[in-house]
Amino acid sequence: MKMQKIRNFCIIAHIDHGKSTLADRLLQFTNTVTDREMQDQLLDNMDLERERGITIKSHAIQMKYPYQGEEYTLNLIDTPGHVDFSYEVSRSIAACEGALLIVDASQGIEAQTISNLYLAIGHDLEIIPVLNKIDLPGAEPEVVAEEVMDLIGCDREDIILASGKEGIGIEDILNAVVERVPSPKGDEEAPLQAMIFDSVYNPFRGVEVLFRIFNGKIQKGDRIKFVNTGKEYEADEIGVLGIQQKPQESMYAGNVGYLISGIKVAKEVKVGDTITHVKRPCSQTIKGFENVKPMVFAGIYPVDTTDFEELRASMEKLQLNDASLVWEPETSAALGFGFRCGFLGMLHMEIIQERLEREFDMTVITTVPSVQFRALMNNDKINLINAPSDMPEANLFKHIEEPFVKASIITAADYVGPVIQLCMEKRGQIKNQVYLTADRVELSFDMPLAEIVFDFFDKLKTISRGYASLDYELIGFRQSHMVRLDVMLNGEPVDALSAIVHRDKAYEWGKRLCEKLKELVPRQMFEIAIQAAIGTKVIARETVKALRKNVLAKCYGGDISRKRKLLEKQKKGKKRMRQVGNVEVPQEAFMAVLKLD
Amino acid sequence: MAGIYIHIPFCKQACHYCDFHFSTSLDLKTKLIDMLNKELITRREYLGRAGIVRTIYFGGGTPSLLTPLELGRIMDTITEQYQLDLQEITLEANPDDLNPMLLAAYKSIGINRLSLGIQSFHDEVLRFYNRAHDQSQSLRIIEMAKEAGFEKLSIDLIYGYPYPNHKLWKKDLEIALSKNPGHISSYALTLEPKTVLENWAKKGVFSPASEDFVAEQYEWLLDQTEAEGYLAYEISNFARPTELALHNSNYWKGVPYLGIGPSAHSFDGQHRGHNIPNNPKYIKEMQKRGTAHTPEILSAEESANDYILTSLRTIWGLDRDIFYDKTGRDIYQEKIKELDWLSQNQWITIKDKNIYLSRKGKLLADDIASRLFF
């Protein structure tokens, strides 16, 4: 296969702008998938992804497309659509020469799309703008086209009008891919240099590595090496990706494919790593490799303390196919044995929690999510703080630093006021304000990551009636006055409810948390004092009055069995509660902090 | 020692709070009474050798819907079939069913204790409950019963009717105590499944009184009965020291009893069991296999919990030795942490081999019992 006949491209789109449907049409049009095999949103094959309408893990698929009497090979590389996975997006982009920029003709460009678009432009990708959903009554192709032209500096006639749903513009898109996306460049005779852009876990075959060859060729049975991990393998099977995998004897520079080499653990496969031959290694690795670092940390505990070992086994299995999930055992006085987990972001955290529930039938309690703070100690050492319990004593450190991000928000002009107000409440500093069109504005803020991971995105959606979009990138650590806020029930600290918060917000936080707990902790045989404290200083207090009466008056003869069963059932229910001192705390109370409004 | 309970599953009308088994249709009455007599014969062996019957209790439903003749027939069957040493024969009765002639007739067939379903001395409350009687009938019937020579008299009262203050309840209790009954059973108004009240509560047309309000009325009940010399021998039962209800006490003390009639429960000293709670089905079962009883086999833990639950409610308390005999377990050892904590907080008192609820413990009896459950 000649490199001139290969096109590698990806799709950049905002959630629900119709990427998956459009991709389906491309596959159907090229007969890559038969109607019988056709399922809606073919690329999103995890249930979870389909329900959320987003692609969590990227995949790739190869199409054959005849154009002016020649057959072209089109490799479509799918990209995840959420900020939590921006590193994976960057690697997918690095594997391509072109990108379809898909924009909903009724909604315009969103913040996440812009950041991915810039990423693509930064990698010199040829951008093919596509206005999707032009069949919708609310579509404003002219307005949105203006926006796109401003953004990427293209001409009006470069923009393709399409509707995935109606099958409009599909052929135009395929033709544009062939005509406009440059063919890959590389040297088939040079030492093997391929980049891993994704991996898929297959319980029967081990980890399937998805790669793009930049130089050289790879043959079945070759001894190969992953440069960054230093691990060596045998290429048991290589091939290209259709709806089914198609094994190949050899593959050449410019192509995209999969590799199976008996790897059991996802952690060994690092996205962005370089594959080369053991005997004749390439002299340079592919640029841009990073070890993915968790951004958000939280404790995960089994609801039933006896399920700890089962939870550990489930987490280990999850880690097999999700290398970005990191964890270590943690003990909480209130929740027992569990795990301190690191996630790429809040969505990632939710996904892990849901996967634990769906795939492993584990019900878990997740504690207050936190970012990683740094304490500059008196001896000038830096201590990392991943959990409230890591917070050093006040007299042992000079100051605390917290991660800041540059957040860009695109919103309708009508909502600029409320958005700015929200960001200020979240300790943001406004840095820039640009009108993309007459009524769409891009706002930039410097904000603490800790404020964003919490409930910021939900709030942003609410105040902008769902229209604002958000993207952010880490810009470093800044000194902040953070304190640890503890919660006590009848004087007993509840470690699982502690949180690191900014001093200026501690009072409000403490007050709201105490109020919320008062609603959730049921009346018991004694009065319960709920207190929030910084160090030894109590800053908020609520009281749950003692239960006055808990006795069924009518109880004789036959009622006894019924009543015994009732009480036995209640007692079982209580077992699911957690004991703090003598106070019984229901599960929901530990989640209360996640929803304080 | 043993007791026989006979369930009369008929009522003139349905009280809005009641979830006991009854029918307001009397069509099957004659057939059903036949079956009660039959069951008394077919289940004769249930009480075993130790079962000398000391107490009989006609409950319901509304036993006073049976004529003295019908009751007399049942009494005859019992006399023929059982070893007797009868000390107490109770009839539950509604004030609107009774008159001096009937009372005399009941007395003549051996009834020596009346339990009167008064519930309240306020007509508006009685109407709300859908009771068939009014205040004046209640007052008259108490006098009538005394005149007819029923020395053992019990009055049923319900507290916890939602009202802005405690005036109604205080008045109810004042009138009841002024009549000087030997025995008072008093229950809180509770929302039972599939009752009119529960339905009203679901629809939002009725909202039950707060927990605190009901607790205050119960405390008032404890105070007033104690001041008048009544013994609070069980959570909801109060009696002059010589008039403790023998039959009911035996429920709490773990004495065997045989339950006859639809929905009636039985206890053979170890296991419990119940009859089918449906009149036509009861009749059919009785005709087909001579019994409508389903035994309930209690596990060791359930047996233990059963005893904890019942014994704690009484003035006699939970007896460590009896518990050991029943279960082979030493509750003092196995529940030492819980017992310590409960007694430190003065919800229970432990005296030698007995555990008793304290006054404030009585209000939380369910919570306390379940903390001691196995």
Side-chain angles (χ1 to χ4, degrees), chain B residues 264-281:
Chain B
H265 287 67
S266 302
F267 179 58
D268 67 4
Q270 216 182 347
H271 297 300
R272 297 188 182 274
H274 60 271
N275 287 355
I276 193 160
N278 176 301
N279 293 359
K281 282 186 188 159

Side-chain angles (χ1 to χ4, degrees), chain A residues 382-395:
Chain A
I382 285 180
N383 276 14
L384 299 181
I385 303 169
N386 286 337
S389 57
D390 295 341
M391 186 92 165
E393 294 288 330
N395 56 346

Side-chain angles (χ1 to χ4, degrees), chain A residues 523-527 545-572 574-575 579 581-584, chain B residues 19-20 159 187-188 192 211-212 214-216 219 235-236 251-252 257 265 272 296 298 302 305-306 309-310 313 341-342 347 362-368 370-371 373:
Chain A
R523 286 174 81 172
Q524 290 168 40
M525 292 169 70
F526 39 82
E527 187 174 287
K545 282 203 293 175
L547 189 68
R548 278 298 296 281
K549 183 172 179 294
N550 177 23
V551 51
L552 200 65
K554 215 165 19 173
C555 177
Y556 53 81
D559 262 40
I560 290 166
S561 280
R562 188 176 109 185
K563 187 169 161 67
R564 173 182 49 75
K565 283 177 196 158
L566 190 78
L567 292 189
E568 281 169 351
K569 204 172 138 198
Q570 280 173 8
K571 188 174 173 110
K572 249 193 196 151
K574 277 184 186 170
K575 268 199 183 150
Q579 202 86 21
N582 276 308
V583 182
E584 279 154 347
Chain B
D19 73 330
F20 283 6
Y159 60 91
Y187 306 115
E192 301 299 337
E211 178 193 308
D212 289 353
V214 180
E216 282 159 20
E219 284 176 329
I235 297 276
S236 307
Y251 288 150
W252 317 114
Y257 56 90
H265 287 67
R272 297 188 182 274
E296 225 177 90
L298 298 186
E302 287 168 341
N305 295 345
D306 185 296
L309 170 64
T310 48
R313 291 174 66 98
W341 182 71
L342 289 167
W347 285 301
K362 281 183 187 170
L363 283 98
L364 299 171
D366 285 1
D367 225 310
I368 294 166
S370 74
R371 273 167 196 267
F373 270 13

Side-chain angles (χ1 to χ4, degrees), chain A residues 374 402-406 447 449 473-478:
Chain A
R374 303 200 302 207
E402 67 172 326
F404 265 68
V405 297
K406 176 177 177 285
M447 281 178 78
L449 177 64
E473 59 178 318
L474 208 56
I475 51 172
F477 280 79
R478 293 185 188 175

Side-chain angles (χ1 to χ4, degrees), chain B residues 107-121:
Chain B
K107 195 156 188 336
S108 73
I109 60 165
I111 308 285
N112 66 3
R113 185 172 179 271
L114 282 181
S115 171
L116 298 174
I118 304 280
Q119 315 311 356
S120 169
F121 289 103

Side-chain angles (χ1 to χ4, degrees), chain A residues 16-148:
Chain A
D16 73 35
H17 279 201
K19 177 180 75 170
S20 300
T21 317
L22 204 66
D24 288 350
R25 293 288 165 268
L26 299 180
L27 299 182
Q28 280 179 308
F29 197 86
T30 54
N31 294 318
T32 312
V33 51
T34 62
D35 286 344
R36 191 178 54 81
E37 292 169 318
M38 188 65 207
Q39 275 179 296
D40 281 334
Q41 302 199 359
L42 203 57
L43 289 182
D44 297 345
N45 63 10
M46 289 169 82
D47 284 353
L48 212 60
E49 294 176 38
R50 193 163 306 169
E51 276 167 41
R52 285 173 183 270
I54 49 170
T55 309
I56 296 162
K57 295 284 289 176
S58 47
H59 304 275
I61 194 157
Q62 193 168 86
M63 297 171 268
K64 298 287 183 192
Y65 183 60
Y67 179 73
Q68 297 182 350
E70 306 256 20
E71 188 180 70
Y72 285 81
T73 298
L74 311 184
N75 289 312
L76 167 59
I77 293 170
D78 199 15
T79 53
H82 192 275
V83 62
D84 282 6
F85 306 102
S86 53
Y87 173 70
E88 287 181 311
V89 175
S90 85
R91 294 305 83 201
S92 294
I93 285 171
C96 301
E97 280 80 26
L100 297 178
L101 170 67
I102 296 180
V103 182
D104 186 323
S106 63
Q107 295 189 50
I109 295 177
E110 308 288 357
Q112 180 72 53
T113 316
I114 294 185
S115 83
N116 286 347
L117 175 66
Y118 287 155
L119 211 57
I121 294 173
H123 279 84
D124 291 328
L125 262 54
E126 176 66 31
I127 308 294
I128 301 172
V130 177
L131 296 192
N132 195 22
K133 303 195 188 181
I134 53 156
D135 57 305
L136 287 188
E140 295 179 296
E142 291 317 310
V143 176
V144 178
E146 288 286 328
E147 204 175 300
V148 171

